Amino acid sequence: DAKTTQPNSMESNEEEPVHLPCNHSTISGTDYIHWYRQLPSQGPEYVIHGLTSNVNNRMASLAIAEDRKSSTLILHRATLRDAAVYYCILRNFGNEKLTFGTGTRLTIIP
Amino acid sequence: EAQVTQNPRYLITVTGKKLTVTCSQNMNHEYMSWYRQDPGLGLRQIYYSMNVEVTDKGDVPEGYKVSRKEKRNFPLILESPSPNQTSLYFCASSRAFDYGYTFGSGTRLTVV
């Protein structure tokens, strides 16, 4: 199964952009890159996903490297409510065996 | 409201007493999945289902059973719970592989 690697923790100042990295060097051509986040005392929440091109939605942006071996979740203007654990996972058609790992704990400094 | 509903939210039980945690989704999603979350270990997948009557093992299936007799429901069954199954459990559903998963609010299980 394709795995991802993320830093254990990151800090960012409130109202500044945040770039959360994820490495997935064993990604296959049909793996989608998904990002989730988990706020304290809540279930995980879908954030964004992409295959090859960069993606934007109301929550965040996803930048995917040209070789697809890494990606970056971008929060354009962090707020205190963005403090959470962020998970990067790979998902493929026909294979729903998903590995979330321990994610990146993002702390926002007021 | 589109949601994944788990019941119960909290459960304390004794070793060996069979229990079922229910999961239901109202979004007509094909895919459903169960996870457990333990401190320092993150989210680990127990079982998943890609359609009715189609289930498969995740990373930590030992001690658990599931069934998918209808699209909306995906119960997690612990035939003989043990203390090492004390954990926070999440159910999730997804429309397809290129859509996100919607997670339930979780079930905190304690086995004594």
Side-chain angles (χ1 to χ4, degrees):
Chain A
D1 299 330
K3 296 293 191 289
T4 63
T5 304
Q6 301 176 252
N8 288 334
S9 62
M10 291 183 62
E11 288 185 348
S12 182
N13 294 320
E14 192 177 12
E15 299 186 4
E16 291 191 356
V18 181
H19 290 236
L20 295 161
C22 181
N23 287 320
H24 26 80
S25 58
T26 59
I27 192 170
S28 74
T30 51
D31 279 330
Y32 279 78
I33 302 159
H34 283 240
W35 282 82
Y36 290 78
R37 71 179 186 180
Q38 187 173 19
L39 303 171
S41 302
Q42 295 189 24
E45 172 188 32
Y46 165 77
V47 177
I48 199 167
H49 76 278
L51 183 61
T52 56
S53 303
N54 295 344
V55 184
N56 300 297
N57 67 19
R58 63 176 180 82
M59 292 180 69
S61 295
L62 176 59
I64 301 172
E66 196 169 332
D67 63 5
R68 301 187 70 237
K69 293 185 176 182
S70 65
S71 61
T72 302
L73 179 71
I74 303 166
L75 307 179
H76 293 286
R77 192 165 170 271
T79 70
L80 295 177
R81 288 174 295 181
D82 291 321
V85 177
Y86 287 79
Y87 299 95
C88 164
I89 68 168
L90 300 179
R91 191 172 173 197
N92 196 325
F93 173 73
N95 180 11
E96 288 298 299
K97 191 171 183 178
L98 305 178
T99 301
F100 272 76
T102 54
T104 297
R105 182 174 297 279
L106 176 64
T107 301
I108 304 298
I109 302 167
Chain B
E1 181 189 351
Q3 60 185 356
V4 176
T5 303
Q6 295 179 228
N7 280 299
R9 291 292 309 275
Y10 301 92
L11 178 61
I12 300 175
T13 190
V14 296
T15 299
K17 185 176 180 181
K18 180 179 179 179
L19 67 91
T20 299
V21 183
T22 64
C23 174
S24 180
Q25 49 94 3
N26 62 0
M27 297 166 281
N28 201 38
H29 284 173
E30 298 289 333
Y31 300 141
M32 297 188 75
S33 193
W34 274 103
Y35 296 86
R36 61 177 290 174
Q37 187 168 36
D38 303 288
L41 296 177
L43 275 163
R44 293 180 293 167
Q45 192 182 47
I46 303 171
Y47 270 96
Y48 62 91
S49 170
M50 296 173 65
N51 211 329
V52 175
E53 302 292 0
V54 179
T55 64
D56 212 339
K57 297 177 180 179
D59 286 328
V60 289
E62 295 78 21
Y64 304 94
K65 287 175 58 176
V66 293
S67 69
R68 187 93 183 272
K69 292 184 172 57
E70 49 190 342
K71 186 180 277 191
R72 65 181 293 124
N73 295 323
F74 191 43
L76 180 69
I77 303 156
L78 286 71
E79 295 269 3
S80 181
S82 63
N84 64 13
Q85 293 178 297
T86 292
S87 187
L88 179 59
Y89 291 86
F90 289 103
C91 179
S93 73
S94 175
R95 178 177 174 181
F97 74 99
D98 56 345
Y99 286 77
Y101 267 93
T102 300
F103 280 77
S105 299
T107 295
R108 186 166 292 281
L109 172 66
T110 302
V111 184
V112 299

